[in-house]
Amino acid sequence: MASLRTAVAGAAARKQVSRPGRAASAPRMGLVPSTQRLPLDEVIVGDCLAALDRLPPASVDLVFADPPYNLQLGEGSLLRPDQSAVDAVDDDWDQFASFEAYDTFTRAWLTACRRVMKPTATLWVIGSYHNIFRVGSALQDLGFWILNDIVWRKANPMPNFRGKRFTNAHETLIWASRSPQKGYTFHYEALKGGNEDLQMRSDWFIPLCTGEERLKGSDGRKVHPTQKPEALVARTLLSASNPGDVVLDPFFGTGTTGAVARRLGRRFIGIEREETYAAAARARIAAVEPLSTAALLTAPTKRAEPRVPFLSVIEAGHVRPGETLTDERRRFKALVRPDGTLAAGPATGSIHKIGALVQGFPACNGWTFWHVERAGKLVCIDDFRGTMRAGMRSA
């Protein structure tokens, strides 16, 4: 959560507030006029809204925002069972005069962010039950298109010491595009590959920021009360940006977004009101060792791969006309025809159409459904397509 505060009353939303994509190519500057310089890899100290106003329009690829949650516990100091005080969020930057004041501030910074986002940019915003519903409503009112809400399940949440409520064991991230149009970045295949070949779900089980990652001052106390884990921010950047992309964090705090962006080959712009936090962020980011270009290469999506029709697999000799294809469990069979279609009884059609027909399904991915026997073992026909694609890439 960012280090900022605003005493918003009517137009006062613009008062003292703060907070602060490809491996082998230069950053994608999109619609940024060549005469305007972006403050890349810098921490801007000052008012959040004023700093956003100075950025050129349509200049950033992704926004990660961790705004004030407006916690205002209002129940006095919070004590553990041993009567020691809980280090809760009671900073000035997290307090607002009313819900109306908070809503005014929220609309102001979201509007400012939307102006600097490229048409294909997306925005992530994180919050708790105290504020995320109000932020989500403002997003939709301003024309953003919500793509997902992500539940961050904390592996080690703070207990509910008073025993009057459920333990708050999660926070919510909203992922939204600038508008309903397509073209935003989403690395579906890469996320799936890193998740045991299963689709990445919208509930993420990630520990709180602890141990050496948690920044502490010379007095041993936390530098920032709501420092987010790098793993959480890294997953958002890996899913929705490319190496070289410009990532904006208008509530920079101690620089988690900047540290992750530097490690992952992204550029960042951070805005932070508190010089103490900004100084900690600069020192932290300076110590980050960027990953190599090879480590950051993104696997091509299946849609971006060269198109290889089944007929080409036959023409290349990987599968012969007259051979019989079967599914992995040998329940269904189909005859390969020389024109690249399959025959199952009187029916003929593509590998997808016949695969769906024999199963009684409305659709089927024939590439992964059909197999052919080789040396006593079944081989998926998609393996042959992969071999041909690899040859195309090397050529």
Side-chain angles (χ1 to χ4, degrees):
M1 192 154 35
S3 122
L4 58 129
R5 168 193 184 270
T6 189
V8 187
R14 304 182 63 81
K15 278 192 179 180
Q16 185 75 13
V17 198
S18 82
R19 293 272 136 192
R22 293 194 198 285
S25 63
R28 299 182 300 165
M29 300 307 288
L31 305 178
V32 182
S34 58
T35 56
Q36 291 183 279
R37 173 187 170 275
L38 276 176
L40 295 176
D41 304 328
E42 294 182 15
V43 183
I44 303 169
V45 178
D47 175 77
C48 163
L49 298 172
L52 285 170
D53 279 349
R54 290 194 295 271
L55 297 180
S59 57
V60 303
D61 299 286
L62 184 140
V63 177
F64 184 90
D66 186 9
Y69 285 10
N70 195 27
L71 296 178
Q72 301 186 43
L73 299 178
E75 299 177 4
S77 60
L78 185 61
L79 302 177
R80 297 183 177 88
D82 63 2
Q83 299 305 300
S84 61
V86 174
D87 188 12
V89 181
D90 55 3
D91 301 77
D92 181 61
W93 51 258
D94 192 60
Q95 297 180 16
F96 294 80
S98 64
F99 283 131
E100 181 182 3
Y102 186 80
D103 292 345
T104 301
F105 167 65
T106 298
R107 288 191 294 270
W109 74 258
L110 283 173
T111 299
C113 284
R114 193 168 189 271
R115 184 188 70 84
V116 302
M117 291 169 64
K118 295 179 183 178
T120 56
T122 56
L123 173 144
W124 292 85
V125 58
I126 186 170
S128 69
Y129 69 89
H130 301 86
N131 72 323
I132 197 63
F133 303 109
R134 311 188 77 86
V135 174
S137 178
L139 277 167
Q140 291 181 313
D141 289 344
L142 293 172
F144 286 89
W145 188 256
I146 294 179
L147 299 168
N148 276 115
D149 68 317
I150 304 294
V151 175
W152 166 33
R153 282 187 60 212
K154 302 174 182 178
N156 47 347
M158 180 185 294
N160 184 270
F161 293 109
R162 289 196 174 98
K164 295 181 179 179
R165 303 182 185 181
F166 296 104
T167 296
N168 293 326
H170 79 279
E171 292 183 28
T172 300
L173 297 94
I174 296 176
W175 181 40
S177 58
R178 191 179 181 277
S179 66
Q181 73 177 45
K182 300 178 181 178
Y184 58 86
T185 297
F186 179 51
H187 295 297
Y188 169 83
E189 285 85 2
L191 291 170
K192 184 178 179 181
N195 193 42
E196 303 295 324
D197 287 325
L198 297 174
Q199 287 188 347
M200 182 64 71
R201 292 162 47 114
S202 62
D203 53 337
W204 298 354
F205 188 61
I206 297 174
L208 288 166
C209 178
T210 58
E212 293 183 1
E213 185 181 327
R214 168 66 76 171
L215 300 188
K216 294 184 179 180
S218 57
D219 58 359
R221 295 175 61 84
K222 294 181 289 187
V223 173
H224 194 289
T226 62
Q227 182 181 333
K228 295 299 185 291
E230 292 188 6
L232 180 71
V233 178
R235 191 174 292 187
T236 66
L237 267 59
L238 288 170
S239 66
S241 70
N242 297 299
D245 278 358
V246 178
V247 179
L248 167 68
D249 186 338
F251 309 105
F252 206 56
T254 51
T256 301
T257 302
V260 173
R262 177 172 167 79
R263 182 172 294 111
L264 297 180
R266 277 69 169 166
R267 313 299 297 272
F268 72 87
I269 301 172
I271 305 173
E272 172 53 52
R273 188 183 73 171
E274 307 294 335
E275 177 56 49
T276 300
Y277 293 155
R282 293 190 190 98
R284 175 186 185 183
I285 294 167
V288 172
E289 185 70 29
L291 294 174
S292 67
T293 299
L296 294 173
L297 288 177
T298 303
T301 65
K302 290 186 177 180
R303 291 184 179 182
E305 291 273 30
R307 183 176 179 274
V308 178
F310 184 57
L311 178 58
S312 295
V313 174
I314 296 172
E315 292 170 341
H318 295 296
V319 177
R320 298 181 297 276
E323 280 196 290
T324 298
L325 301 186
T326 183
D327 66 294
E328 193 172 18
R329 295 168 60 186
R330 300 181 185 271
R331 297 168 298 169
F332 309 105
K333 295 182 179 180
L335 183 71
V336 178
R337 291 160 49 94
D339 60 0
T341 61
L342 302 184
T348 61
S350 70
I351 56 174
H352 312 296
K353 180 179 178 180
I354 297 302
L357 179 68
V358 297
Q359 298 177 88
F361 292 167
C364 169
N365 182 347
W367 287 108
T368 56
F369 177 73
W370 292 113
H371 295 65
V372 65
E373 189 165 324
R374 292 286 182 268
K377 296 183 179 180
L378 289 180
V379 177
C380 180
I381 62 172
D382 198 32
D383 291 352
F384 303 129
R385 182 173 65 161
T387 298
M388 294 181 67
R389 281 175 167 171
M392 292 176 178
R393 288 194 294 268
S394 62

